[in-house]
Coordinates of all heavy atoms in Angstrom, one line a residue:
M30 N 15.1 -5.9 11.3 CA 14.3 -4.8 10.5 C 14.9 -3.5 10.9 O 14.8 -2.6 9.9 CB 12.9 -5.0 10.9 CG 12.1 -6.2 10.2 SD 12.2 -6.3 8.3 CE 11.3 -4.7 7.9
A31 N 15.2 -3.2 12.0 CA 15.7 -1.9 12.4 C 16.9 -1.5 11.6 O 16.9 -0.3 11.2 CB 16.1 -1.9 13.9
K32 N 17.9 -2.4 11.3 CA 19.0 -2.2 10.4 C 18.4 -1.8 9.0 O 19.1 -0.9 8.4 CB 20.0 -3.2 10.3 CG 20.6 -3.4 11.7 CD 21.6 -4.5 11.6 CE 22.3 -4.8 12.9 NZ 23.4 -5.8 12.9
I33 N 17.5 -2.5 8.5 CA 16.9 -2.1 7.2 C 16.4 -0.8 7.1 O 16.6 0.0 6.1 CB 15.9 -3.2 6.8 CG1 16.7 -4.7 6.6 CG2 15.2 -2.9 5.5 CD1 15.7 -5.7 6.4
Y34 N 15.5 -0.4 8.1 CA 15.0 0.8 8.2 C 16.0 2.0 8.4 O 15.9 3.0 7.7 CB 13.9 1.0 9.1 CG 12.7 0.2 9.0 CD1 12.2 -0.8 9.8 CD2 11.9 0.4 7.8 CE1 11.1 -1.4 9.5 CE2 10.8 -0.4 7.5 CZ 10.4 -1.2 8.4 OH 9.2 -1.9 8.1
R35 N 17.1 1.6 9.0 CA 18.2 2.7 9.2 C 18.8 2.9 7.7 O 19.2 4.1 7.4 CB 19.2 2.1 10.2 CG 20.3 3.1 10.4 CD 21.1 2.8 11.5 NE 22.3 3.6 11.7 CZ 23.4 3.2 12.0 NH1 23.8 1.9 12.3 NH2 24.5 4.0 12.2
V36 N 19.1 1.9 7.0 CA 19.6 1.9 5.7 C 18.8 2.8 4.8 O 19.2 3.6 4.1 CB 20.0 0.6 5.1 CG1 20.4 0.8 3.7 CG2 21.1 -0.1 5.9
I37 N 17.5 2.5 5.0 CA 16.4 3.3 4.2 C 16.5 4.7 4.4 O 16.5 5.6 3.6 CB 15.1 2.7 4.3 CG1 15.0 1.3 3.7 CG2 14.0 3.6 3.7 CD1 13.6 0.6 4.0
M38 N 16.6 5.0 5.8 CA 16.7 6.4 6.2 C 18.0 7.1 5.6 O 18.0 8.3 5.4 CB 16.6 6.5 7.7 CG 15.3 6.1 8.3 SD 13.9 6.9 7.7 CE 14.2 8.6 8.4
L39 N 19.1 6.3 5.5 CA 20.3 7.0 5.0 C 20.4 7.1 3.5 O 21.3 7.7 3.0 CB 21.4 6.0 5.4 CG 21.7 6.0 7.0 CD1 22.8 4.9 7.2 CD2 22.2 7.4 7.5
L40 N 19.3 6.6 2.7 CA 19.4 6.9 1.4 C 19.1 8.3 1.0 O 18.3 9.1 1.7 CB 18.2 6.1 0.6 CG 18.3 4.5 0.7 CD1 16.9 3.9 0.1 CD2 19.4 4.0 -0.1
S41 N 19.8 8.9 0.0 CA 19.6 10.3 -0.4 C 18.2 10.4 -1.1 O 17.6 9.5 -1.5 CB 20.7 10.7 -1.3 OG 20.6 10.1 -2.6
K42 N 17.7 11.7 -1.2 CA 16.5 12.0 -1.8 C 16.5 11.3 -3.3 O 15.6 10.9 -3.7 CB 16.2 13.4 -1.8 CG 15.4 14.0 -0.8 CD 15.0 15.5 -1.0 CE 13.9 15.9 -0.1 NZ 13.5 17.2 -0.3
D43 N 17.6 11.5 -3.9 CA 17.8 11.1 -5.3 C 17.7 9.5 -5.4 O 17.4 9.1 -6.5 CB 19.1 11.6 -5.8 CG 19.3 12.9 -6.1 OD1 18.1 13.7 -6.3 OD2 20.4 13.5 -6.1
E44 N 18.1 8.9 -4.3 CA 18.0 7.3 -4.3 C 16.6 6.8 -3.9 O 16.2 5.7 -4.4 CB 18.9 6.9 -3.5 CG 20.3 7.1 -3.8 CD 21.3 6.6 -2.8 OE1 21.2 7.2 -1.5 OE2 22.3 5.7 -3.1
K45 N 15.8 7.6 -3.2 CA 14.6 7.0 -2.7 C 13.3 7.2 -3.7 O 13.0 8.3 -4.2 CB 14.2 7.9 -1.4 CG 14.9 7.5 -0.3 CD 14.5 8.3 1.0 CE 15.2 8.0 2.2 NZ 14.7 8.7 3.3
A46 N 12.5 6.3 -3.7 CA 11.4 6.3 -4.4 C 10.3 7.1 -3.6 O 10.3 7.0 -2.4 CB 10.8 4.9 -4.8
D47 N 9.3 7.7 -4.3 CA 8.2 8.5 -3.7 C 7.4 7.5 -2.8 O 7.3 6.3 -3.1 CB 7.5 9.4 -4.6 CG 6.7 8.5 -5.5 OD1 5.8 7.9 -5.1 OD2 6.9 8.7 -6.7
D48 N 6.7 7.9 -1.8 CA 5.8 7.2 -0.8 C 4.9 6.3 -1.5 O 4.7 5.2 -1.2 CB 5.2 8.1 0.3 CG 6.3 8.7 1.2 OD1 7.4 8.2 1.2 OD2 6.0 9.6 2.0
D49 N 4.2 6.9 -2.5 CA 3.2 6.1 -3.2 C 3.7 5.0 -4.0 O 3.1 3.9 -4.0 CB 2.4 7.2 -4.2 CG 1.5 8.2 -3.5 OD1 1.1 8.0 -2.4 OD2 1.3 9.2 -4.2
K50 N 4.8 5.2 -4.5 CA 5.5 4.1 -5.4 C 5.9 3.0 -4.3 O 5.8 1.9 -4.6 CB 6.7 4.5 -6.2 CG 7.4 3.5 -7.0 CD 8.4 4.0 -7.8 CE 7.9 4.8 -9.0 NZ 9.0 5.0 -10.1
V51 N 6.5 3.4 -3.2 CA 7.0 2.3 -2.1 C 5.8 1.5 -1.7 O 5.7 0.4 -1.6 CB 7.6 3.1 -1.0 CG1 7.9 2.0 0.2 CG2 9.0 3.7 -1.4
K52 N 4.6 2.2 -1.5 CA 3.5 1.6 -1.0 C 2.8 0.6 -2.1 O 2.5 -0.5 -1.6 CB 2.3 2.6 -0.6 CG 1.1 1.9 0.0 CD -0.1 3.0 0.3 CE -1.3 2.3 0.7 NZ -1.6 1.0 0.3
A53 N 2.8 1.0 -3.2 CA 2.2 0.1 -4.3 C 3.2 -1.0 -4.5 O 2.7 -2.2 -4.6 CB 2.2 0.9 -5.5
R54 N 4.5 -0.9 -4.3 CA 5.4 -2.0 -4.5 C 5.2 -3.0 -3.3 O 5.2 -4.2 -3.6 CB 6.9 -1.5 -4.6 CG 7.3 -0.8 -5.8 CD 8.4 -0.1 -5.7 NE 9.1 0.4 -6.9 CZ 10.3 0.9 -7.1 NH1 11.2 1.1 -6.1 NH2 10.7 1.4 -8.2
L55 N 5.2 -2.4 -2.0 CA 5.0 -3.3 -0.9 C 3.7 -4.1 -0.9 O 3.6 -5.1 -0.6 CB 5.2 -2.6 0.3 CG 6.7 -2.0 0.6 CD1 6.7 -1.1 1.8 CD2 7.6 -3.2 0.7
D56 N 2.7 -3.4 -1.5 CA 1.3 -4.0 -1.5 C 1.4 -5.3 -2.5 O 0.9 -6.3 -2.2 CB 0.3 -3.0 -2.0 CG -0.2 -2.2 -1.0 OD1 0.2 -2.4 0.2 OD2 -0.8 -1.1 -1.4
T57 N 2.2 -5.0 -3.6 CA 2.3 -6.1 -4.5 C 3.1 -7.3 -3.8 O 2.7 -8.7 -4.0 CB 3.1 -5.8 -5.8 OG1 2.3 -4.7 -6.4 CG2 3.4 -6.9 -6.8
C58 N 4.3 -6.9 -3.0 CA 5.0 -7.9 -2.4 C 4.3 -8.7 -1.3 O 4.4 -9.9 -1.2 CB 6.2 -7.3 -1.8 SG 7.4 -6.8 -3.0
K59 N 3.4 -7.9 -0.7 CA 2.6 -8.6 0.4 C 1.5 -9.6 -0.1 O 1.2 -10.7 0.5 CB 1.8 -7.5 1.2 CG 2.7 -6.7 2.1 CD 2.0 -5.5 2.7 CE 2.9 -4.7 3.5 NZ 2.1 -3.5 4.0
A60 N 1.2 -9.5 -1.3 CA 0.3 -10.5 -2.1 C 1.1 -11.5 -2.7 O 0.4 -12.5 -3.2 CB -0.6 -9.6 -3.0
C61 N 2.4 -11.5 -2.7 CA 3.2 -12.4 -3.5 C 3.4 -13.7 -2.6 O 3.8 -13.6 -1.5 CB 4.5 -11.8 -4.0 SG 5.5 -13.0 -4.9
D62 N 3.4 -14.9 -3.2 CA 3.6 -16.1 -2.5 C 5.1 -16.3 -2.1 O 5.5 -17.1 -1.2 CB 3.3 -17.2 -3.4 CG 1.9 -17.5 -3.6 OD1 1.1 -17.0 -2.7 OD2 1.4 -18.1 -4.5
Y63 N 6.1 -15.5 -2.7 CA 7.5 -15.6 -2.4 C 7.9 -14.9 -1.3 O 8.9 -14.9 -0.6 CB 8.3 -15.0 -3.5 CG 8.4 -15.7 -4.8 CD1 7.9 -15.3 -6.0 CD2 8.8 -17.2 -4.8 CE1 7.9 -16.1 -7.2 CE2 8.7 -18.0 -6.0 CZ 8.4 -17.4 -7.2 OH 8.5 -18.2 -8.2
L64 N 7.0 -13.9 -0.6 CA 7.3 -13.1 0.6 C 7.2 -14.0 1.8 O 6.3 -14.7 2.2 CB 6.3 -12.0 0.7 CG 6.6 -11.0 1.8 CD1 8.0 -10.4 1.7 CD2 5.5 -10.0 2.1
A65 N 8.4 -13.9 2.7 CA 8.3 -14.6 4.0 C 9.3 -13.8 4.9 O 10.5 -13.6 4.5 CB 8.9 -16.1 3.7
D66 N 8.8 -13.4 5.9 CA 9.6 -12.7 6.9 C 10.3 -11.5 6.3 O 11.6 -11.3 6.5 CB 10.7 -13.6 7.6 CG 10.0 -14.7 8.5 OD1 8.9 -14.4 8.9 OD2 10.4 -15.9 8.2
A67 N 9.6 -10.5 5.5 CA 10.1 -9.4 4.9 C 11.2 -9.7 3.8 O 11.8 -8.7 3.4 CB 10.6 -8.4 6.0
T68 N 11.4 -11.0 3.5 CA 12.3 -11.4 2.5 C 11.8 -12.0 1.3 O 10.7 -12.8 1.5 CB 13.4 -12.3 3.1 OG1 14.0 -11.7 4.3 CG2 14.4 -12.8 2.1
C69 N 12.1 -11.7 0.0 CA 11.7 -12.4 -1.0 C 12.4 -13.7 -1.2 O 13.6 -13.7 -1.2 CB 12.0 -11.5 -2.3 SG 11.6 -12.4 -3.9
Q70 N 11.7 -14.8 -1.0 CA 12.3 -16.1 -1.0 C 12.8 -16.4 -2.4 O 13.5 -17.5 -2.6 CB 11.3 -17.2 -0.6 CG 10.9 -16.9 0.9 CD 12.1 -17.0 1.9 OE1 12.8 -17.9 2.0 NE2 12.3 -15.9 2.6
A71 N 12.4 -15.7 -3.4 CA 12.8 -16.2 -4.8 C 14.1 -15.5 -5.2 O 15.0 -16.1 -5.8 CB 11.7 -15.6 -5.8
C72 N 14.3 -14.2 -4.7 CA 15.7 -13.7 -5.2 C 16.6 -13.3 -3.7 O 17.7 -13.0 -3.9 CB 15.4 -12.3 -5.9 SG 14.8 -10.9 -4.9
G73 N 15.8 -13.3 -2.6 CA 16.7 -13.2 -1.4 C 16.8 -11.8 -0.9 O 17.4 -11.5 0.1
C74 N 16.1 -10.8 -1.6 CA 16.2 -9.4 -1.1 C 15.3 -9.1 0.0 O 14.3 -9.8 0.3 CB 15.8 -8.5 -2.3 SG 14.1 -8.2 -2.6
Y75 N 15.8 -8.0 0.8 CA 14.7 -7.5 1.6 C 13.8 -6.5 1.0 O 14.2 -5.5 0.5 CB 15.5 -6.8 2.8 CG 16.5 -7.6 3.6 CD1 17.7 -7.4 3.5 CD2 15.9 -8.5 4.5 CE1 18.7 -8.3 4.2 CE2 16.7 -9.3 5.2 CZ 18.1 -9.2 5.2 OH 19.0 -9.9 5.8
V76 N 12.6 -6.9 1.0 CA 11.6 -6.1 0.1 C 11.4 -4.7 0.5 O 11.3 -3.8 -0.4 CB 10.2 -6.8 0.0 CG1 10.4 -8.3 -0.7 CG2 9.5 -7.1 1.3
E77 N 11.4 -4.4 1.8 CA 11.5 -3.1 2.2 C 12.5 -2.2 1.6 O 12.3 -1.1 1.1 CB 11.5 -2.9 3.7 CG 10.2 -3.7 4.5 CD 9.2 -2.7 4.5 OE1 9.2 -1.5 4.5 OE2 8.0 -3.3 5.1
L78 N 13.7 -2.7 1.6 CA 14.9 -1.9 1.1 C 14.7 -1.9 -0.5 O 14.8 -0.8 -1.1 CB 16.1 -2.6 1.5 CG 17.4 -1.9 1.0 CD1 17.6 -0.4 1.4 CD2 18.6 -2.6 1.6
R79 N 14.4 -2.9 -1.1 CA 14.4 -2.9 -2.5 C 13.1 -2.0 -3.1 O 13.4 -1.2 -4.0 CB 14.1 -4.3 -3.0 CG 14.1 -4.2 -4.7 CD 13.8 -5.6 -5.3 NE 14.7 -6.6 -5.1 CZ 15.7 -6.9 -6.0 NH1 15.6 -6.3 -7.1 NH2 16.6 -7.7 -5.8
A80 N 12.0 -2.0 -2.3 CA 10.8 -1.1 -2.7 C 11.2 0.4 -2.4 O 10.7 1.2 -3.2 CB 9.8 -1.5 -1.9
A81 N 12.2 0.7 -1.5 CA 12.5 2.1 -1.1 C 13.4 2.8 -2.2 O 13.4 4.0 -2.3 CB 13.0 2.1 0.3
R82 N 14.1 1.9 -2.9 CA 15.1 2.5 -3.8 C 14.4 2.8 -5.2 O 13.7 2.0 -5.7 CB 16.3 1.6 -4.0 CG 17.3 1.4 -2.9 CD 18.4 0.6 -3.2 NE 19.1 1.2 -4.5 CZ 20.0 2.2 -4.3 NH1 20.4 2.7 -3.1 NH2 20.6 2.6 -5.4
K83 N 14.6 4.0 -5.6 CA 14.0 4.5 -6.8 C 14.3 3.6 -8.1 O 13.4 3.4 -8.9 CB 14.3 5.9 -7.1 CG 13.6 6.6 -8.4 CD 14.4 8.1 -8.6 CE 14.0 9.0 -7.5 NZ 14.4 10.3 -7.9
D84 N 15.4 3.2 -8.2 CA 15.8 2.6 -9.4 C 15.7 1.0 -9.4 O 16.1 0.2 -10.3 CB 17.4 2.8 -9.6 CG 18.4 2.4 -8.5 OD1 17.9 2.0 -7.5 OD2 19.5 2.4 -8.7
S85 N 15.1 0.5 -8.2 CA 14.9 -0.9 -8.1 C 13.8 -1.5 -9.0 O 12.7 -0.7 -9.2 CB 14.7 -1.2 -6.6 OG 15.8 -1.1 -5.8
K86 N 13.8 -2.8 -9.2 CA 12.8 -3.3 -10.0 C 12.6 -4.8 -9.4 O 13.6 -5.3 -8.9 CB 13.2 -3.5 -11.5 CG 13.4 -2.2 -12.1 CD 13.4 -2.3 -13.6 CE 13.6 -1.2 -14.4 NZ 13.5 0.2 -13.8
C87 N 11.5 -5.2 -9.5 CA 11.2 -6.7 -9.1 C 11.8 -7.5 -10.1 O 11.5 -7.4 -11.3 CB 9.7 -6.9 -9.0 SG 9.3 -8.7 -8.6
P88 N 12.7 -8.5 -9.8 CA 13.3 -9.4 -10.7 C 12.2 -10.3 -11.4 O 12.6 -10.8 -12.5 CB 14.4 -10.1 -9.8 CG 13.9 -9.9 -8.4 CD 13.2 -8.7 -8.4
Y89 N 11.0 -10.3 -10.9 CA 10.1 -11.1 -11.5 C 9.1 -10.3 -12.2 O 7.9 -10.9 -12.5 CB 9.6 -12.2 -10.5 CG 10.6 -13.0 -9.9 CD1 11.4 -12.6 -8.8 CD2 11.0 -14.2 -10.6 CE1 12.3 -13.5 -8.4 CE2 12.0 -15.0 -10.3 CZ 12.7 -14.6 -9.1 OH 13.7 -15.5 -8.7
K90 N 9.4 -9.1 -12.4 CA 8.4 -8.1 -13.0 C 7.0 -8.1 -12.6 O 6.1 -7.9 -13.3 CB 8.4 -8.5 -14.6 CG 9.8 -8.4 -15.3 CD 10.0 -8.6 -16.6 CE 11.1 -8.5 -17.3 NZ 12.3 -9.1 -17.0
K91 N 6.9 -8.1 -11.3 CA 5.6 -8.0 -10.7 C 5.2 -6.6 -10.3 O 4.1 -6.4 -10.1 CB 5.5 -9.0 -9.5 CG 5.7 -10.4 -9.7 CD 5.3 -11.2 -8.6 CE 5.3 -12.6 -8.9 NZ 4.7 -13.6 -7.9
W92 N 6.1 -5.7 -10.3 CA 5.9 -4.3 -9.9 C 5.5 -3.6 -11.2 O 6.1 -3.7 -12.2 CB 7.0 -3.6 -9.4 CG 7.5 -4.1 -8.0 CD1 6.8 -4.8 -7.2 CD2 8.6 -3.7 -7.4 NE1 7.5 -5.0 -6.0 CE2 8.7 -4.4 -6.1 CE3 9.8 -3.0 -7.8 CZ2 9.7 -4.2 -5.2 CZ3 10.7 -2.8 -6.9 CH2 10.7 -3.4 -5.6
N93 N 4.5 -2.9 -11.2 CA 3.9 -2.0 -12.3 C 4.5 -0.6 -12.1 O 4.2 0.2 -13.1 CB 2.4 -2.1 -12.5 CG 2.0 -3.4 -12.9 OD1 2.6 -4.1 -13.7 ND2 0.8 -3.9 -12.4
V94 N 5.0 -0.3 -11.0 CA 5.6 1.1 -10.8 C 7.0 1.0 -10.6 O 7.7 0.1 -10.3 CB 4.8 1.6 -9.6 CG1 3.4 1.9 -9.9 CG2 5.0 0.8 -8.3

């Protein structure tokens, strides 16, 4: 997880989603059956990193933001 957070910290302002969007995305992921150990078991992504990127989308269209 430390490496994931380091990568998130290295994202430029233009690449990062705002804090409210990240929180909403992660709340959705936390309620999803596919989440296990900070990884989406459906697509294999690290949800913290995917949620932090402004241009990211849930491949299963579960994010409304």
